Amino acid sequence: MTSVFRDVFNTSVEFVRTFGAFQLFSLRVLRYSPGVLLSRFDLVVKQVFNTGALSLVIIMVCGLFVGGVLGLQGYSNLARFNAEDSIGVFAAFGLIKELGPVITALLFAGRAGTALASEIGLMKATDQLSAMEMMAVNPVPRVLVPRFLGGIIAMPLLVAVFSMIGLFGTHLVAVELLSVDVGAFWQQIQITVDMDDIKEGIFKSLVFGVAASMIAVWEGYNAVPTAEGVGRATTRTVVITAIAVLVFDFMITAVML
Amino acid sequence: MKQLDDSLENLIEIRNLKFSRGHRVIFEGLNLDIKRLENLIEIRNLKFSRGHRVIFEGLNLDIKRGEVTAFMGPSGTGKTTLLRLITRQLIPQEGTIRIGGIDIATLNLAELYQLRQRFGMLFQNGALLTDLNVFENVAFPLREHTKLTNRLIRHVVLTKLHAVGLRGAADMIPSELSGGMARRVALARAMVMDPDILIYDEPFVGLDPISMGVIVRLVRRMNDTLGITSIIVSHDVAEVSTVADCSFLISGGKVAASGSPDELRTAKSELVRQFMHGMADGPVAFHYQAPDYEEQLLGRDAE
Ligand SMILES: Nc1ncnc2c1ncn2[C@@H]1O[C@H](COP(=O)(O)OP(=O)(O)O)[C@@H](O)[C@H]1O
Ligand SMILES: [Mg+2]
C-alpha cells in the first residue's frame, strides 16, 4: 500500500518538475522570439513554408469532408423544422468557432508537430545541436525559435483554409446534392456571422498554434537522443497537443460565451 | 620563413634594448621576457560522473600548445566525454579545466561562445546539418559569424573542400554521403574558421586507407604550418603513432600512462602493453562489469 502512495508521490513530483522545466523552456524560447523575428525572418519564412505546406493537403481534404458531414447532419436535423436554409449558418458557426481551429490543430499536431519533434530529436541524436554549440551558434534561436514562430504563423492560415474549404464542402452537399437554395445559404451566413465570431476563431487558432508548436519543439529538444527516444517524443507530441488543445478550447469557449 | 620554435620557453624575449627618437632616449638596456604558456589546456583533479557511474576521478593532464595530443583508451572509458568536458558541453562535478590559463567554468555564455570560436571540432559521426547541402554546411560558421561576401565565402569553402578532396561533392546533401565522406566534410567545416584548437573524435574510423593517409597528413600539416593545437581521440594505435606527439592512455577514470608513441610502445606497464598490442587478457577487462558468470547462469535470481 505504501508503495502505491510512494509511486503517486513520485509521479506528482516528476510532473511538477517537468512542468516547471517546460515553463522555463518556454520563457527561453519567447525571449529569443522578437530578435529572431526581426533579424532572421528568412528562417521563419522557411519554417512557415515547411510546416504550412506540409499540412496543407491533409487540411484541405479533411476540411472538405468535415464540411460535407456538417451538410448532411445539418440537413437531416434542420429539415425536421423546415429550417434547412439555415444550414449555412449552422456549418459556418461550427467551422469558424470550433471545428476549424480544433481539428486543424489536431491535424497539425499529427502532421507538422510530429515532423518538428522528430526533426529536432534527430538533430540532437546525431549531435547536430552539439555541433552548432561547438560552432558558437546557439541552437535555441537558430533552430527552435524559427520552428516555433513558423508554427504560430502557419496555424491561423491553415485554420482559415480549413474553414473556407469546409464551408465549400457544406455548400457542395447542401446546395448541389440536397438542393438547398444557394441564395439563402450564403445570405444567412452573411447576415448572422459577424466579426466577433471570426475573432474568436482567430484567437483560438493563435492559442493552439502557440501550444502545438511549443509542445512539438519541447518534445524534440528534450527527446532521449536515440532512435527509440525520438519515436517516443513524436508520440508524446501528438498526445499532449491533443489534450492541451481540447482543454484550452473548453476554457476559451467558456470565457468567450 | 623561420618556423616558430615551440620549445622556446619565452614567447617574447627582449635583451638589452636601446631605442631613441632623435636625442631622446626612450629605452636603454631594457630586458623583458614574456613567457609562453607552455600548456594550452590544463586539467586538474577532474571528477565527473553520470548518475552513479563515475567516469573520471582525479584526472590530471596537460595539453601542450602546438602539439598533436592523442587520447587513447578502450571504448566506453569516456574519451568523448572528456572532449565534451574540455569544450564545456558538460560540466565536471569537481576539478578545474583551464584553457589558456582561464578556468572555463567561470565563463558566461557569451564568453563561452567566444572561446568556442577558437575551437574546431570533428564529431564522431560528422554531425553535418541534414537540412543543408555540403557547401552550406561548410559555409555555416562563416555565414553565422562573419559578414563576408558570397564570393569570398565561396572561395574559402571551396578551398577547404578541396583540401579534403571533396570539392566535387559541394552540391550533395549529407544523406548522400558515405560515413567517411561525411567525416571529411565535417573536417572541412571544422577548419573553415581557422581555429586555434582542432579536436577530432575518432577521425580514422571507417576511412579507406587512401583517405586515411590523406587525413593523417592533413592533420599533421595543419598542426605544423598553421600552429594549431590538435587533440585526437582514437584507438587506432598505428595511426596515432604516426601523427601524435604525445599520447594519453585513459583507463579507469584516470590517465593510466602518457608519453610519446615510442615511449608507450616500449612501456613496461601491463595495461599499456595490453592496449598497445591488442591483447584480450590483462588489467583492462574485456567484459563490462557483471555478476559471476557461473552464478548467473546456474543460480537463482537475486530477488
Ligand atoms: N548521454 C549519456 N548518458 C549516460 N551515459 C552516457 C552518455 N554518454 C555516454 N555515456 C556513458 O559514458 C561512458 C563513456 O562514454 P564515451 O565518452 O562515449 O566513451 P568513449 O568515447 O571513450 O568510447 C560510457 O560508458 C557511456 O555508457
Ligand atoms: Mg567516443
Side-chain angles (χ1 to χ4, degrees), chain A residues 101-113:
Chain A
V102 170
I103 297 186
T104 306
L106 295 180
L107 293 173
F108 181 90
R111 186 67 187 84

Side-chain angles (χ1 to χ4, degrees), chain A residues 127-128 133 135-136 142, chain B residues 84 116 128-130 144-145:
Chain A
D127 280 337
Q128 293 180 50
E133 291 248 2
M135 291 185 278
R142 183 62 178 74
Chain B
R84 286 182 189 266
R116 282 189 183 158
L128 297 178
L129 305 177
T130 35
E144 292 292 324
H145 294 303

Side-chain angles (χ1 to χ4, degrees), chain A residues 32 40 46-47 119 123 125-128 130-139 142 147, chain B residues 84 87 89 109 113 116-117 119 121 123 125 127-132 140-141 144-145 189:
Chain A
Y32 284 112
R40 299 304 300 265
K46 203 171 146 197
Q47 292 306 324
E119 187 192 10
M123 289 181 86
T126 54
D127 280 337
Q128 293 180 50
S130 302
M132 268 188 198
E133 291 248 2
M134 276 311 299
M135 291 185 278
V137 175
N138 188 342
R142 183 62 178 74
R147 284 165 173 75
Chain B
R84 286 182 189 266
T87 52
Q89 296 171 58
L109 191 69
Y113 278 166
R116 282 189 183 158
Q117 289 200 36
F119 277 100
M121 180 155 178
F123 281 80
N125 52 16
L128 297 178
L129 305 177
T130 35
D131 57 347
L132 300 177
F140 183 83
E144 292 292 324
H145 294 303
R189 183 178 68 179

Side-chain angles (χ1 to χ4, degrees), chain A residues 47-62:
Chain A
Q47 292 306 324
V48 174
F49 177 78
N50 269 356
T51 45
L54 265 181
S55 315
L56 198 54
V57 173
I58 177 177
I59 295 279
M60 289 168 73
V61 172
C62 294

Side-chain angles (χ1 to χ4, degrees), chain A residues 3-247:
Chain A
S3 82
V4 173
F5 282 122
R6 205 176 52 218
D7 281 357
V8 170
F9 177 76
N10 285 344
T11 312
S12 315
V13 168
E14 189 55 40
F15 175 78
V16 171
R17 186 175 294 160
T18 309
F19 195 62
F22 177 73
Q23 286 174 332
L24 287 179
F25 173 85
S26 304
L27 285 180
R28 200 141 70 102
V29 169
L30 289 176
R31 190 161 63 90
Y32 284 112
S33 292
V36 173
L37 212 50
L38 290 178
S39 62
R40 299 304 300 265
F41 197 64
D42 54 322
L43 294 176
V44 181
V45 170
K46 203 171 146 197
Q47 292 306 324
V48 174
F49 177 78
N50 269 356
T51 45
L54 265 181
S55 315
L56 198 54
V57 173
I58 177 177
I59 295 279
M60 289 168 73
V61 172
C62 294
L64 192 67
F65 281 97
V66 169
V69 167
L70 283 179
L72 292 173
Q73 290 282 10
Y75 187 85
S76 75
N77 283 312
L78 294 172
R80 283 188 243 163
F81 313 106
N82 280 334
E84 57 266 37
D85 286 353
S86 312
I87 194 167
V89 178
F90 168 80
F93 274 134
L95 283 170
I96 291 171
K97 291 167 66 158
E98 283 299 331
L99 296 175
V102 170
I103 297 186
T104 306
L106 295 180
L107 293 173
F108 181 90
R111 186 67 187 84
T114 51
L116 280 184
S118 64
E119 187 192 10
I120 296 171
L122 273 176
M123 289 181 86
K124 187 178 176 190
T126 54
D127 280 337
Q128 293 180 50
L129 297 183
S130 302
M132 268 188 198
E133 291 248 2
M134 276 311 299
M135 291 185 278
V137 175
N138 188 342
V140 175
R142 183 62 178 74
V143 175
L144 303 187
V145 174
R147 284 165 173 75
F148 169 70
L149 292 175
I152 297 181
I153 295 173
M155 185 72 85
L157 300 175
L158 290 171
V159 170
V161 170
F162 183 96
S163 298
M164 249 160 45
I165 302 264
L167 261 188
F168 177 67
T170 315
H171 168 96
L172 281 186
V173 168
V175 176
E176 310 293 337
L177 204 68
L178 304 169
S179 359
V180 172
D181 180 54
V182 63
F185 181 92
W186 288 105
Q187 196 192 15
Q188 289 212 18
I189 296 179
Q190 221 171 19
I191 294 170
T192 327
V193 177
D194 61 20
M195 206 52 209
D196 283 344
D197 303 313
I198 310 265
K199 276 187 198 155
E200 184 178 336
I202 294 179
F203 179 67
K204 279 186 178 174
S205 66
L206 277 174
V207 173
F208 298 166
V210 172
S213 319
M214 190 66 93
I215 291 169
V217 169
W218 154 264
E219 284 295 339
Y221 193 61
N222 285 285
V224 179
T226 59
E228 192 203 358
V230 174
R232 282 174 46 160
T234 51
T235 312
R236 288 164 54 98
T237 303
V238 178
V239 174
I240 297 176
T241 308
I243 296 172
V245 163
L246 294 173
V247 170

Side-chain angles (χ1 to χ4, degrees), chain B residues 166-181:
Chain B
L166 288 175
R167 190 163 42 87
D171 294 326
M172 292 168 83
I173 56 171
S175 59
E176 294 171 347
L177 303 175
S178 73
M181 286 166 87

Side-chain angles (χ1 to χ4, degrees), chain B residues 75-76 78-81 124 201-202 233 235:
Chain B
S75 62
K79 302 180 296 293
T80 302
T81 307
Q124 211 159 340
D201 195 353
E202 310 270 7
V233 161
H235 36 234

Side-chain angles (χ1 to χ4, degrees), chain B residues 94-198:
Chain B
E94 281 173 30
T96 54
I97 299 173
R98 292 175 182 279
I99 298 180
I102 299 164
D103 182 356
I104 58 169
T106 62
L107 301 178
N108 65 26
L109 191 69
E111 292 165 338
L112 178 66
Y113 278 166
Q114 223 165 28
L115 176 72
R116 282 189 183 158
Q117 289 200 36
R118 297 174 46 204
F119 277 100
M121 180 155 178
L122 180 64
F123 281 80
Q124 211 159 340
N125 52 16
L128 297 178
L129 305 177
T130 35
D131 57 347
L132 300 177
N133 68 13
V134 165
F135 182 92
E136 285 302 323
N137 259 290
V138 180
F140 183 83
L142 295 173
R143 293 207 194 281
E144 292 292 324
H145 294 303
T146 69
K147 294 200 159 54
L148 298 182
T149 59
N150 275 335
R151 236 178 87 97
L152 214 50
I153 288 183
R154 202 179 140 71
H155 185 85
V156 175
V157 170
L158 290 180
T159 314
K160 303 293 179 188
L161 278 175
H162 187 75
V164 296
L166 288 175
R167 190 163 42 87
D171 294 326
M172 292 168 83
I173 56 171
S175 59
E176 294 171 347
L177 303 175
S178 73
M181 286 166 87
R183 198 103 41 73
R184 281 151 69 192
V185 174
L187 179 57
R189 183 178 68 179
M191 306 185 310
V192 79
M193 292 290 284
D194 295 328
D196 299 334
I197 305 170
L198 261 171

